[in-house]
Amino acid sequence: MTGVPKTLPDMTFEPVPDEFLLAGNWKHGAGPATSVIDPATGSELQRVGHAGVEDVDAAVRAGAAAAADPAWRGLLPHQRATYLHRIGAAIEGAAPRLALLQSYNTGKTLTETSALVTSAANTFRYFAAVLETSDEDLTTPRGPYLTMSVHEPIGVVGAITPWNSPIASDAQKMAPALAAGNAVVLKPAEWTPLVSLALARIIDETGLPPGLLSVLPGRGSVVGDAIVRHPGVGKVSFTGGTTTGRTLAHAAAEKLMPVSLELGGKSPTIVLADADVEAAVNGVLYGIFSSSGQSCIAGSRLFVDAGIYEEFLDRLVARTQALRVGPGREPGVQVGPLVHHRHRDAVARHVELARAEGGRIRCGGSVPDDPRLAEGAYYLPTVIDGLANDARVCQEEIFGPVLVALPFHGEADLIAQANDTVYGLAAGIWTRDYRRAWRLARALHTGTVWINTYKQFSISTPFGGVKESGLSVEKGRTGIRAYSRQKSIYLGMDEAPIAWAES
Ligand code: NAD
């Protein structure tokens, strides 16, 4: 075999110092500690002390001062961009370590975590480029004045992220917020603080002025809530579950603060009768089972034309059973463990619910019986059918390796079923007929549609959900604007005084 290294790289877990970044200083958490586990084995990796509400207050005050300091606020866009370029390069320099750390903490395969680290580095580079090339608007004058619309920093931005892809979601918020001239106070998820703490250390070492970044691990209901409610925080960007997003939006409404919400999904993947079946099977498998289904955009509802339904399902089930389940750090593994045993148990409860509702478990539906995997948070890739679209497992986000399949009869039935969900994050269509794909893509109520591909991401393409999947978009050139305040300026050009006031 070619391309296989003779010796495997060092896979030893290196603990992250149990200190968090509070405005340029490293501090031990005085609050309760989280036991961070390796979901591949169930063993404790290390403990991480939580920040407290007083740390949030200190971080926000320091952030406000740093954001207002002319040393940051006065920088021209191309000067601010150099900090982002430096951060992008530093992430890339630490990529193998960060990928391994994230694989230990989340259970994801090294292939997946390496891609996420690369994406984080590229996110900083992309927003540096956006910053350098964004123009302010000179608007068309409608009187004797010059009119323009400029974008200014908000001040302190709160960023709250989930456990499934920590480094990518952290970067997706930090990079545009810093690019727009703000300070950031970030709270990672309880189960996965390690890579965010490592990222904070890397960014701190690049010489970003102190105060512009704080990374505070802790409970959502304590640290997260304190960030949202703090009067000094001018915007919160949140990625996580829809229920939490709604709670947060209520708190934000009290202070009339803008929020960006990237929430849950139950995305339909559609296979039309003329699809390239091999490509569609591969796409469906990747769409639901990569990252063990712990992806907001997982294609978790499969709609197949009734004419090819049984044949397609048989093929899909056979290929699902052949997926390699195991530790994410083992070469060749496709499906790693779930992030935590508690989450694995919640996924298992959903499958039990499907059984109780009369669903057919076509494959999976249990933990693996391989004794090597007994202590880890594994769950077998599962395909369920025989349920109507209004069954709870067809409507609720499971966030695990569980696919529900349904046949459809004609385009009207398909569109009605696919849109019959509270979510609206993404959808996939497999067909050779691009006119039909276009028509369907326009009829689906989702933020993203993939045609003959799935779960592809590009930082230059805006991403966001509709309905209960979210509010506003991240990424793309306009992603930076979500962290700015717009101001209009009129420059009077008339030599004569305003006539109204003449006596
Ligand atoms: P979660 O909502 O439980 O937690 C997300 C974050 O919010 C965590 O950091 C948590 O500590 C914090 N939090 C919890 N309660 C809070 C409160 N009252 N105030 C402030 N912060 C609070 O989500 P999760 O279980 O960590 O992640 C899984 C969810 O995230 C899934 O629903 C998934 O679809 C969603 N997600 C969405 C996207 C997207 O881009 N749309 C991306 C990834 C994940």
Side-chain angles (χ1 to χ4, degrees):
M1 275 206 295
T2 54
V4 177
K6 286 205 175 56
T7 51
L8 285 173
D10 186 6
M11 292 284 178
T12 317
F13 172 71
E14 267 181 55
V16 171
D18 178 15
E19 292 175 321
F20 56 80
L21 179 63
L22 174 51
N25 298 305
W26 289 90
K27 191 178 166 187
H28 279 287
T34 299
S35 167
V36 180
I37 64 142
D38 174 1
T41 61
S43 56
E44 183 176 276
L45 291 169
Q46 67 172 94
R47 297 179 78 78
V48 169
H50 286 188
V53 169
E54 64 293 348
D55 296 316
V56 173
D57 185 52
V60 174
R61 286 172 190 277
D69 189 333
W72 180 247
R73 174 130 187 154
L75 290 181
L76 293 169
H78 72 280
Q79 294 168 327
R80 209 153 61 224
T82 58
Y83 286 95
L84 281 95
H85 280 299
R86 237 181 268 157
I87 295 172
I91 294 174
E92 197 168 62
R97 183 166 63 83
L98 289 170
L100 184 63
L101 187 62
Q102 181 149 324
S103 180
Y104 264 107
N105 197 174
T106 62
K108 286 193 173 202
T109 66
L110 269 178
T111 313
E112 287 163 348
T113 56
S114 301
L116 291 168
V117 174
T118 303
S119 128
N122 288 340
T123 297
F124 276 94
R125 292 206 180 97
Y126 176 78
F127 280 109
V130 170
L131 179 59
E132 288 206 52
T133 57
S134 280
D135 293 323
E136 299 292 13
D137 296 327
L138 200 60
T139 59
T140 308
R142 294 182 70 90
Y145 33 74
L146 199 62
T147 44
M148 60 190 87
S149 180
V150 297
H151 295 86
E152 296 184 342
I154 292 170
V156 180
V157 168
I160 300 178
T161 53
W163 45 256
N164 61 326
S165 308
I167 197 165
S169 32
D170 293 355
Q172 227 162 280
K173 298 183 187 317
M174 284 177 182
L178 290 172
N182 301 289
V184 176
V185 178
L186 179 128
K187 192 203 86 65
E190 286 93 317
W191 285 339
T192 57
L194 299 188
V195 84
S196 305
L197 293 176
L199 178 62
R201 209 163 269 277
I202 286 167
I203 295 178
D204 190 38
E205 283 166 5
T206 63
L208 186 74
L212 288 175
L213 179 67
S214 293
V215 173
L216 308 180
R219 294 231 168 85
S221 56
V222 180
V223 176
D225 185 67
I227 292 173
V228 176
R229 291 180 195 277
H230 198 291
V233 172
K235 153 120 199 189
V236 165
S237 178
F238 170 81
T239 300
T242 295
T243 307
T244 318
R246 194 173 273 122
T247 306
L248 206 133
H250 276 291
E254 285 297 317
K255 50 186 256 206
L256 292 181
M257 174 180 69
V259 281
S260 295
L261 302 176
E262 301 289 347
L263 308 177
K266 191 79 183 176
S267 300
T269 306
I270 295 160
V271 180
L272 301 184
D274 72 338
D276 173 338
V277 171
E278 182 58 16
V281 168
N282 282 332
V284 171
L285 290 173
Y286 176 66
I288 180 64
F289 297 125
S290 58
S291 302
S292 305
Q294 302 165 115
S295 166
C296 55
I297 46 171
S300 50
R301 285 189 305 154
L302 171 66
F303 292 100
V304 183
D305 187 293
I308 60 163
Y309 182 82
E310 287 304 336
E311 189 193 332
F312 188 87
L313 257 263
D314 287 347
R315 201 155 156 177
L316 183 75
V317 166
R319 292 281 305 279
T320 303
Q321 286 167 321
L323 291 172
R324 291 180 295 278
V325 179
R329 298 179 295 279
E330 210 169 274
V333 162
Q334 291 161 295
V335 182
L338 299 181
V339 70
H340 199 281
H341 296 73
R342 295 222 305 269
H343 181 55
R344 190 268 312 273
D345 295 346
V347 169
R349 281 196 296 277
H350 264 106
V351 176
E352 291 319 308
L353 182 65
R355 278 199 176 95
E357 284 184 314
R360 275 192 299 172
I361 312 298
R362 301 280 296 248
C363 62
S366 68
V367 302
D369 54 16
D370 181 346
R372 264 185 347 125
L373 307 181
E375 304 302 322
Y378 296 93
Y379 199 81
L380 286 177
T382 300
V383 178
I384 302 172
D385 78 346
L387 289 168
N389 193 37
D390 60 359
R392 275 183 59 191
V393 285
C394 297
Q395 291 293 321
E396 294 174 10
E397 186 185 42
I398 300 175
F399 219 59
V402 180
L403 177 70
V404 286
L406 301 107
F408 68 87
H409 302 267
E411 210 164 293
D413 175 43
L414 167 64
I415 294 168
Q417 290 200 72
N419 283 338
D420 183 15
T421 161
V422 295
Y423 294 112
L425 200 54
I429 303 169
W430 295 90
T431 177
R432 290 188 168 93
D433 181 344
Y434 267 87
R435 288 189 187 85
R436 205 164 166 216
W438 173 257
R439 201 164 60 232
L440 280 173
R442 302 307 300 254
L444 293 169
H445 302 156
T446 64
T448 296
V449 178
W450 287 286
I451 299 167
N452 291 330
T453 185
Y454 200 85
K455 211 176 155 185
Q456 302 302 315
F457 261 141
S458 151
I459 185 64
S460 60
T461 307
F463 174 77
V466 299
K467 303 199 301 189
E468 294 191 17
S469 287
L471 276 181
S472 91
V473 290
E474 288 190 319
K475 305 185 177 181
R477 288 184 66 79
T478 51
I480 198 170
R481 298 301 189 212
Y483 297 96
S484 307
R485 286 188 179 133
Q486 204 164 354
K487 180 182 277 176
S488 296
I489 300 180
Y490 287 64
L491 227 76
M493 292 293 168
D494 206 348
E495 298 291 340
I498 291 176
W500 183 87
E502 294 285 332
S503 49

